[in-house]
Amino acid sequence: MSQSDIGIYGLGLMGSNLALNFESHGHNVSVSNRTEGEGENLIASFMKEHGAGKRFTPSADLKEFVASIQKPRTILITITSGKPVDDFISSVLPHLDDWDTLVDCGNSHFEETRRRAASLRFKRINYAGVGISGGSEGARYGPSIMAGTTKKCWKSLEKILEPIAARSFDDTPCCLLAGSDGAGHFVKMVHNGIEYADMQILAEVYHIMRTLFKMHPSDISAKFRQWNYTSLGSYLLSISADILQVRDDSGVLLLDQILDSAEQKGTGRWTVQAASELGIQLPVVSASVDSRSLSALTGLRGRLSGSLFGPEPNSSSGLLRNTENALQHLEQAYLASRMIAAAEGFYLLTEASRHYKWTIDPSEIARIWQGGCIIRSELLRTIVAAYGQGSNFNHLLLSPIYSNRFRKLQEGWRETVTLAIKSGIHVPAMAASLQQYDALRSAYLPANLIQAQRDYFGSHGFRVINDPDGTHYHSNWNKQDLSDNTDDEPENSL
Ligand SMILES: NC(=O)C1=CN([C@@H]2O[C@H](COP(=O)(O)OP(=O)(O)OC[C@H]3O[C@@H](n4cnc5c(N)ncnc54)[C@H](OP(=O)(O)O)[C@@H]3O)[C@@H](O)[C@H]2O)C=CC1
Ligand SMILES: O=C(CO)[C@H](O)[C@H](O)COP(=O)(O)O
């Protein structure tokens, strides 16, 4: 067989499906995987399952693998992020030639990608950090692709990545260059942050339906399917409708047998950390990351569940007067909360692009997230429309197309959060989104008291309303005679 035009190292879930995707687009693909360790030999099993009559060249030996790819080489790395990627780069480097290209398609931290790109440039190797979203199905039939590399490297990479990508609503490829070095992995990380939020909000919707509205799982599934034909539609909603119908061999709902403890690989937490480094808060994503951590406290929750006082979710408590009405409110709360989560993610992208001198165009990000990826949804159509009106804003809430939708969503959103809180149901993402909305529409927040406290105990100074960008003032707070004000003890102390 002639030399391959692409190499894929790592034949796990993503690598094997990407290999099949490339092959079905006419590429000769060299495939490899580590063979040491006790695990199954992925090369052998991949070839056994998919190799017959296909243009794959398998190699267990790294030198042989590299030699089987035509120069200048393009090698996709589809392995576990972190140290494995550094180890692979060190071991493949001696076999590469000048300006071969390594493409890290895993969920690497964007700072690691920046470091690798910088160090490989000195070794005359092109490096691209490419976020791939869509799970196994996306990898096989069309993922959403977010790249970070040089414009020159992108010219050749684009030709091979664009054809295998998903298509957005306007039938353009869901594939773009987000900027240099770590930009692609940053965008993928924020995608995952929004993914965490979308999943948490939907879990809260399900929780309210199940525990308070006492809806049967198949009715919840039917409701989700109905919503999926509306502006609420999304991939995550559709798979959740499926999940609510899957039964095991004995006929029991599989979902009811799954431990209520969510795991996480780190991209959600990284999103919050990266935002925090830039002084940006992501309340809905943070609440969603925290919720996963909190869900893992199964032992503590189990012990406290019978002893801490509070309301029990109860449809006959009097709080829930009309379930049909409450369902309509929930629908509004679901959309409003997701809109705030998306807005905070896009705001982070805009600010990070400025900070890191990338070229992230939020409207383009919204476009390529319309297909292939886990957060693909009807909402992205609204976001594309909002940016289409002129991107002269850094926060989606500054777009009338976006912000006007909250008028109609208000009542249901507030009613739902209030109902959940009064009923003792944990809705951190919905509550955080509403709180964020209220904070952003508040010209005044009580941070003046915080500034006064900081100055009182630490002489940190404060700025004044009449000169907001000016001098810091300091007051000798405890030098005043306050005795008149402190005489009275409150009548009822808690
Ligand atoms: N699963 C998903 O939905 C998505 C995953 N990703 C990212 O893609 C990457 C691959 O994920 P996925 O395919 O799901 O993972 P899998 O667990 O299915 O596969 C992991 C791959 O990494 C290899 N690997 C692990 N450790 C090492 C090491 N120390 N040295 C060399 N190879 C190693 C494995 O080889 P071996 O079998 O020999 O251990 C295997 O080929 C990850 O970064 C992941 O975060 C991105 C988007 C979606
Ligand atoms: O990148 C992905 C989807 O876009 C991966 O599936 C990722 O593993 C999901 O994150 P986590 O494991 O933390 O839930």
Side-chain angles (χ1 to χ4, degrees):
M1 198 192 278
S2 58
Q3 276 194 309
S4 300
D5 30 35
I6 193 165
I8 295 191
Y9 184 82
L11 289 174
L13 187 83
M14 296 302 282
S16 57
N17 281 295
L18 280 172
L20 291 167
N21 192 348
F22 278 110
E23 202 275 344
S24 66
H25 278 84
H27 291 281
N28 291 337
V29 186
S30 288
V31 291
S32 187
N33 198 86
R34 67 172 176 177
T35 46
E36 70 269 27
E38 288 170 19
E40 171 194 22
N41 182 337
L42 286 186
I43 307 175
S45 53
F46 177 83
M47 289 308 290
K48 190 170 168 210
E49 200 177 336
H50 305 290
K54 295 282 168 59
R55 288 162 293 212
F56 291 121
T57 304
S59 318
D61 177 76
L62 210 48
K63 190 175 172 192
E64 227 176 82
F65 168 65
V66 173
S68 70
I69 306 163
Q70 70 189 31
K71 296 181 198 172
R73 303 180 183 91
T74 301
I75 298 176
L76 268 56
I77 309 168
T78 49
I79 62 176
T80 309
S81 62
K83 189 170 176 301
V85 175
D86 282 323
D87 291 348
F88 172 72
I89 292 172
S90 305
S91 50
V92 79
L93 214 46
H95 308 300
L96 299 180
D97 290 297
D98 276 3
W99 304 119
D100 280 348
T101 300
L102 293 177
V103 186
D104 176 10
C105 295
N107 280 336
S108 290
H109 193 287
F110 76 98
E111 289 289 13
E112 294 200 332
T113 304
R114 284 158 64 87
R115 168 179 59 76
R116 289 170 188 141
S119 97
L120 286 168
R121 197 173 310 130
F122 286 110
K123 294 175 177 146
R124 303 172 73 81
I125 298 293
N126 288 316
Y127 194 70
V130 175
I132 304 268
S133 179
S136 56
E137 194 193 308
R140 174 65 186 89
Y141 299 106
S144 185
I145 300 175
M146 303 137 243
T149 190
T150 59
K151 283 185 187 151
K152 192 169 170 213
C153 178
W154 182 240
K155 260 192 173 171
S156 42
L157 260 191
E158 190 180 18
K159 289 189 198 116
I160 57 168
L161 292 179
E162 243 187 44
I164 66 133
R167 300 268 141 183
S168 62
F169 293 157
D170 63 2
D171 205 32
T172 51
C174 297
C175 176
L176 59 63
L177 176 69
S180 56
D181 51 58
H185 278 144
F186 192 95
V187 173
K188 175 67 199 317
M189 176 189 76
V190 175
H191 164 285
N192 281 24
I194 298 173
E195 173 183 302
Y196 271 55
D198 273 0
M199 292 167 81
Q200 174 63 28
I201 295 163
L202 189 49
E204 292 172 16
V205 167
Y206 157 76
H207 195 33
I208 291 173
M209 286 177 163
R210 191 99 193 253
T211 57
L212 186 61
F213 300 172
K214 307 290 180 207
M215 286 171 69
H216 192 274
S218 58
D219 293 332
I220 300 177
S221 172
K223 183 52 84 181
F224 283 1
R225 285 199 201 288
Q226 188 192 331
W227 284 358
N228 208 34
Y229 287 107
T230 70
S231 58
L232 300 182
S234 74
Y235 168 73
L236 285 167
L237 187 63
S238 76
I239 65 166
S240 304
D242 290 347
I243 288 167
L244 281 154
Q245 287 190 310
V246 174
R247 295 180 181 278
D248 71 4
D249 293 343
S250 60
V252 179
L253 191 72
L254 186 54
L255 182 62
D256 285 347
Q257 295 169 66
I258 297 179
L259 189 69
D260 59 333
S261 170
E263 295 175 19
Q264 49 186 318
K265 293 213 172 98
T267 45
R269 190 174 63 248
W270 295 347
T271 312
V272 176
Q273 287 167 343
S276 178
E277 289 293 327
L278 299 178
I280 293 170
Q281 31 87 256
L282 300 178
V284 192
V285 179
S286 295
S288 308
V289 173
D290 287 349
S291 270
R292 289 205 192 180
S293 306
L294 199 135
S295 76
L297 300 179
T298 45
L300 181 63
R301 289 191 288 114
R303 278 167 63 198
L304 294 175
S305 66
S307 59
L308 287 184
F309 178 77
E312 291 297 326
N314 190 344
S315 49
S316 56
S317 64
L319 289 170
L320 183 65
R321 288 190 203 97
N322 179 335
T323 306
E324 207 36 59
N325 208 15
L327 261 172
Q328 280 170 17
H329 286 158
L330 185 59
E331 190 175 340
Q332 293 166 0
Y334 176 46
L335 183 57
S337 303
R338 286 178 51 220
M339 286 179 72
I340 296 294
E344 68 187 34
F346 276 90
Y347 179 65
L348 172 59
L349 287 178
T350 310
E351 294 302 298
S353 184
R354 199 192 349 249
H355 178 84
Y356 293 106
K357 300 188 172 45
W358 291 327
T359 49
I360 297 173
D361 174 349
S363 70
E364 275 292 281
I365 301 297
R367 181 187 64 74
I368 66 145
W369 283 352
Q370 287 179 332
C373 70
I374 303 297
I375 62 170
R376 61 186 186 263
S377 68
E378 286 296 315
L379 176 57
L380 285 158
R381 211 189 278 274
T382 309
I383 296 176
V384 167
Y387 282 119
Q389 267 204 336
S391 313
N392 198 15
F393 51 80
N394 59 359
H395 200 292
L396 275 166
L397 287 177
L398 291 168
S399 152
I401 286 198
Y402 209 71
S403 56
N404 283 342
R405 297 194 70 175
F406 288 92
R407 285 175 193 272
K408 277 195 180 160
L409 303 174
Q410 280 296 299
E411 188 193 347
W413 197 12
R414 290 184 192 281
E415 288 290 337
T416 301
V417 171
T418 307
L419 177 66
I421 288 174
K422 281 189 173 172
S423 306
I425 298 179
H426 184 231
V427 287
M430 278 194 206
S433 66
L434 182 53
Q435 286 290 283
Q436 175 73 348
Y437 180 81
D438 281 338
L440 289 175
R441 66 187 192 88
S442 299
Y444 167 77
L445 288 170
N448 50 345
L449 180 58
I450 293 169
Q451 283 301 86
Q453 290 164 340
R454 290 177 71 243
D455 191 51
Y456 190 119
F457 63 67
S459 299
H460 294 297
F462 51 83
R463 285 168 294 145
V464 294
I465 292 167
N466 291 339
D467 186 15
D469 298 320
T471 340
H472 276 74
Y473 293 85
H474 168 63
S475 176
N476 289 322
W477 298 93
N478 52 2
K479 294 287 184 296
Q480 287 187 21
D481 178 10
L482 305 175
S483 52
D484 281 349
N485 303 336
T486 53
D487 275 355
D488 297 335
E489 275 292 305
E491 277 177 21
N492 296 313
S493 55
L494 289 172

